[in-house]
Amino acid sequence: MSTIIEMPQLRYGNGDLSPIISEETLKFHFGKHLQTYVNNLNNLIVGTEFENASLEEIAAKAQGGIGNNAGQVLNHNLYFEQFAPSPSKKEPSGALAAAIVKSFGSFDEMKSKMNAAASSLFGSGWAWLCADANGALSILQMTNADNPLRHNLKPILTFDVWEHAYYLDYQNRRADYIAALWNIIDWNIVESRF
Ligand code: MN
């Protein structure tokens, strides 16, 4: 019995993140783009060394089409799972908040570095807040389907800056999309990854 990669279950409906992420964008981005990566991955792993591997193992190790599709499934799962229509708090608390102050000086400085990484990434990719094995945080740009697991880092927070993530709602205004995303981050989910 081989691994079957499933679509994540979202805790919000397609229209619930509007206007920050519109219903139309969610229908295409979650329902079409992510579904396609999931379908491709399930087809590609059959008969390979990754047939019985977890999504995380595949995303960390596989090359070529399998690696690209697994990276995109992992990245999109993390992206879509970190949102809530009306988050209960506006910034993290506890251990993650302390690590942010230790690594960046302040929450606002971390936000500004994340905004800069997401805005300036050339082409398609992802901006990440990552943690190393010691809990030290860093902000990194990763192109295409690259992901923190390939760099022995733990993914904490991610902004998708492929054009398909924002073009229907923001056209070329990537910075406006990035600024708006902070309003729907569910810090309870993000803290649980740390
Ligand atoms: Mn995407």
Side-chain angles (χ1 to χ4, degrees):
M1 184 67 197
S2 62
T3 300
I4 295 175
I5 307 297
E6 307 271 9
M7 286 288 283
Q9 298 293 313
L10 298 184
R11 291 158 298 112
Y12 50 82
N14 277 340
D16 293 348
L17 302 180
S18 180
I20 290 168
I21 297 175
S22 69
E23 179 167 8
E24 191 185 20
T25 288
L26 262 191
K27 280 183 181 166
F28 280 97
H29 194 190
F30 183 82
K32 304 287 185 188
H33 287 274
L34 177 52
Q35 183 71 63
T36 299
Y37 294 128
V38 167
N39 294 345
N40 288 345
L41 183 57
N42 279 315
N43 291 330
L44 286 167
I45 57 176
V46 175
T48 75
E49 62 181 303
F50 296 106
E51 193 167 38
N52 299 303
S54 68
L55 174 61
E56 287 73 19
E57 283 177 77
I58 305 171
K61 293 178 192 157
Q63 305 296 323
I66 296 178
N68 284 335
N69 282 282
Q72 285 296 77
V73 174
L74 178 89
N75 296 354
H76 283 96
N77 289 355
L78 291 162
Y79 174 81
F80 288 116
E81 286 168 353
Q82 74 194 358
F83 298 132
S86 302
S88 60
K89 55 188 183 186
K90 293 289 178 200
E91 51 185 271
S93 53
L96 179 59
I100 286 171
V101 170
K102 192 171 177 190
S103 296
F104 302 102
S106 69
F107 177 67
D108 284 344
E109 187 58 26
M110 184 280 286
K111 275 178 76 173
S112 119
K113 285 200 160 78
M114 185 75 173
N115 289 340
S119 305
S120 67
L121 193 153
F122 190 81
S124 295
W126 302 78
W128 294 94
L129 174 66
C130 302
D132 71 12
N134 299 315
L137 298 171
S138 57
I139 283 170
L140 294 166
Q141 296 175 329
M142 296 187 187
T143 55
N144 298 321
D146 196 11
N147 66 80
L149 303 184
R150 300 183 86 87
H151 306 271
N152 292 314
L153 294 169
K154 190 188 288 186
I156 307 296
L157 175 71
T158 190
F159 287 179
D160 185 348
V161 294
W162 283 59
E163 283 186 346
H164 67 222
Y166 61 89
Y167 213 83
L168 292 174
D169 300 334
Y170 299 87
Q171 295 78 48
N172 61 317
R173 292 173 285 113
R174 190 197 283 187
D176 291 352
Y177 154 72
I178 293 160
L181 283 184
W182 295 104
N183 297 305
I184 51 169
I185 300 297
D186 184 336
W187 289 105
N188 294 318
I189 299 286
V190 175
E191 283 169 18
S192 73
R193 296 171 178 166
F194 179 61

